[in-house]
Amino acid sequence: MPDYLACMPKADKKAVSVLSRQYQDRFSQNKKGFLRFREPYEALCGLTAQNLDFNKDQVTIGSRDEISDQQHLKVLKVLKEFMPWRKGPFNVFGIEVDTEWQSQRKWNRVIPFLPELKNKVVADIGCSNGYYMFRMAAHQPKCVLGFEPYVQHYFAFKALNQLAGQKNLHIEPFGVEDIRLFPETFDVIFLMGIIYHRISPVEMLRDIKNSLKPGATLILESQAIPGDASVALFPEKTYAKVPGTYFVPTANCLANWLKRVGFENIEFFDSHPMSNDEQRKTDWMTFESYSDFLDPSDTSLTIEGYPAPLRIFFRATAP
């Protein structure tokens, strides 16, 4: 049984254990797609960082003087195996990983509205490589469970936490649909950058509400379109070149989704346009990024001609 379940008395422990084991067995198979990321993670086993700092914008795991030149080259090689790096930034034994997203900007917008995390049970849905989980660790949660179905991000977090040794941070290759296995379990759920990738966003919010303890908190961040009407854009094929984008709401539309499923104390606390300062190409993410997703003759539109995205933030509580 995964050890994090000890702090989740209402979770379906048997189902969670079976699903976790199925994923672990799958990831241990001798398949190229899994080996590409599993082997770099395993290469770091036995190496532990002493200097940790999760309070600053750049998550620091280890300092340069902790390891030899040979180990430094090994860590650099492993980190490059996990490219492209989407969320960050990180500093790992003095190696600065300049990620596509300047994720500290999002976290800094959330900080004034954070509920108490100390000794709390937290879920981070779509946690990617765990940048926000490490930032949460600075607040001493009892347990954080990251949901991340993509093998690259899953093993990137595993590699980072192999070094950082945070025993209260956990990850499973679960999708958001697996939140149903955790009824009335979490004190806080973070759902950031996920909802517009789901074909049934209201159903997803209902599942998330049911996984929160009564009075617990949801922190939700999403792409959005401008406007006051309660409407959502449904792109024909892609939105900003992303095929897996379905409903992109206005802020009022998203607020109504939250109301419809029964959330209370709904607070819309931030909105800002996307920019190249926040999402861009770097040496650690060399593919297309935000500037490539916009109409070059009118940056108020995406390349498809839709309104360019805003990012919006909500806090709400479960009844």
Side-chain angles (χ1 to χ4, degrees), residues 122-141:
V122 182
D124 185 2
I125 298 176
C127 66
S128 187
N129 57 31
Y131 174 82
Y132 299 115
M133 294 171 65
F134 288 113
R135 298 303 304 270
M136 293 174 206
H139 297 263
Q140 301 177 324

Side-chain angles (χ1 to χ4, degrees), residues 147-207:
F147 289 59
E148 181 48 63
Y150 289 99
V151 64
Q152 173 192 359
H153 304 320
Y154 171 85
F155 279 117
F157 169 78
K158 295 277 282 186
L160 292 171
N161 204 35
Q162 169 71 29
L163 303 175
Q166 299 300 293
K167 297 186 183 303
N168 59 344
L169 302 185
H170 309 270
I171 193 170
E172 291 281 14
F174 293 165
V176 65
E177 63 277 7
D178 299 314
I179 197 74
R180 298 167 189 164
L181 300 175
F182 300 89
E184 292 189 14
T185 293
F186 298 105
D187 299 295
V188 186
I189 292 179
F190 290 85
L191 182 71
M192 301 196 292
I194 300 298
I195 194 168
Y196 47 87
H197 290 311
R198 303 300 297 181
I199 201 164
S200 300
V202 175
E203 181 180 357
M204 181 188 68
L205 286 173
R206 184 177 293 112
D207 290 339

Side-chain angles (χ1 to χ4, degrees), residues 16-31 34-35 38 42 151 154-155 158 172-174:
V16 172
S17 297
V18 169
L19 187 60
S20 176
R21 187 164 56 251
Q22 287 174 345
Y23 277 117
Q24 302 309 321
D25 290 346
R26 181 180 173 218
F27 283 3
S28 67
Q29 292 174 8
N30 189 25
K31 291 184 178 180
F34 300 141
L35 286 175
R38 180 167 60 85
E42 291 175 342
V151 64
Y154 171 85
F155 279 117
K158 295 277 282 186
E172 291 281 14
F174 293 165

Side-chain angles (χ1 to χ4, degrees), residues 94-148:
I95 300 165
E96 295 193 353
V97 181
D98 185 15
T99 50
E100 177 189 18
W101 283 88
Q102 293 290 284
S103 303
Q104 77 278 9
R105 292 175 176 242
K106 184 183 294 188
W107 187 248
N108 288 337
R109 295 182 186 104
V110 169
I111 283 175
F113 301 90
L114 270 182
E116 178 64 59
L117 296 183
K118 188 172 182 179
N119 295 323
K120 301 299 183 181
V121 179
V122 182
D124 185 2
I125 298 176
C127 66
S128 187
N129 57 31
Y131 174 82
Y132 299 115
M133 294 171 65
F134 288 113
R135 298 303 304 270
M136 293 174 206
H139 297 263
Q140 301 177 324
K142 183 176 184 180
C143 170
V144 181
L145 178 59
F147 289 59
E148 181 48 63

